[in-house]
Amino acid sequence: MAAATFNIDLFDIDDPDNTLTQVLLYLEHQTVQVISTIQSLLAAIKKPSATRGDLREKSKAITIVISQMTEATNTSMNQTRNAQLKEHGSWVVKSLEDCYHRMDILCKKPKEMADDEHKFADKNFKQRLAGISFDIAKCTKELVKTVEEASLKEDIEQLDARINQHQ
């Protein structure tokens, strides 16, 4: 029911009043986007002609979404009503933030190499980038699962409260 009325464009990642269901729907949407971008990155990595610039550009698209996902989850976890999410979600968010930093550092353009963008990416760069991408895919899926569990527990608690209220 909530999924039918959810509009990704209207979701505010900084809104502390987002419900866990809204955060979950947002994360599910973003995960689809991240996985698609990772698949595109991995396809580019396989090409012998892949340049560092092209791979950096695809990586940047991934890190932007990861940053938004962790921010939305952190905002939600910082609400006292979502203590259960914080308890179980903190390490997943931390893992995702670590992946973000690893990819960001790997893909930083060295200042002394302005023409680096058009150079072919070497095997080591490609392997490290692929490894981080797989870690991101695992972490985003785990994050969705964690928020989903917290959301379900919240729904059960609300139903229990209503049942007990009518008895």
Side-chain angles (χ1 to χ4, degrees):
M1 187 168 66
T5 60
F6 183 77
N7 184 339
I8 188 75
D9 297 324
L10 298 177
F11 184 80
D12 179 3
I13 60 176
D14 295 320
D15 185 352
D17 292 328
N18 288 328
T19 65
L20 285 180
T21 303
Q22 290 170 320
V23 174
L24 175 61
L25 292 169
Y26 172 75
L27 293 176
E28 286 173 340
H29 179 275
Q30 294 298 77
T31 297
V32 169
Q33 186 177 340
V34 166
I35 299 301
S36 172
T37 309
I38 287 172
Q39 288 169 337
S40 172
L41 174 64
L42 294 175
I45 286 172
K46 290 179 184 176
K47 293 179 185 172
S49 62
T51 64
R52 284 184 172 257
D54 184 42
L55 298 180
R56 277 193 187 106
E57 193 175 305
K58 290 184 182 339
S59 299
K60 182 143 185 75
I62 293 168
T63 56
I64 287 169
V65 176
I66 294 300
S67 174
Q68 294 167 347
M69 290 174 75
T70 57
E71 188 175 339
T73 308
N74 278 323
T75 298
S76 190
M77 284 192 309
N78 288 332
Q79 306 313 306
T80 54
R81 69 181 184 279
N82 296 333
Q84 188 130 31
L85 174 59
K86 188 169 190 163
E87 182 182 323
H88 299 290
S90 292
W91 74 269
V92 182
V93 170
K94 180 76 176 114
S95 298
L96 202 49
E97 289 171 341
D98 288 346
C99 289
Y100 168 91
H101 290 298
R102 287 171 46 214
M103 185 173 271
D104 191 47
I105 288 168
L106 178 64
C107 293
K108 275 212 187 316
K109 185 170 31 173
K111 288 177 179 68
E112 68 277 358
M113 300 176 98
D115 63 341
D116 182 55
E117 291 297 295
H118 302 292
K119 285 188 178 176
F120 293 122
D122 63 5
K123 184 179 178 181
N124 180 48
F125 182 80
K126 289 179 173 183
Q127 285 177 336
R128 290 178 59 201
L129 198 52
I132 296 167
S133 296
F134 284 116
D135 289 347
I136 288 171
K138 284 191 297 190
C139 287
T140 56
K141 289 177 181 177
E142 186 64 31
L143 182 61
V144 167
K145 193 171 93 177
T146 301
V147 174
E148 184 176 38
E149 287 171 6
S151 179
L152 288 172
K153 286 177 183 172
E154 181 182 76
D155 291 348
I156 290 168
E157 287 170 8
Q158 288 174 354
L159 288 173
D160 280 346
R162 287 209 315 235
I163 291 169
N164 291 333
Q165 195 175 36
H166 294 296
Q167 289 181 349

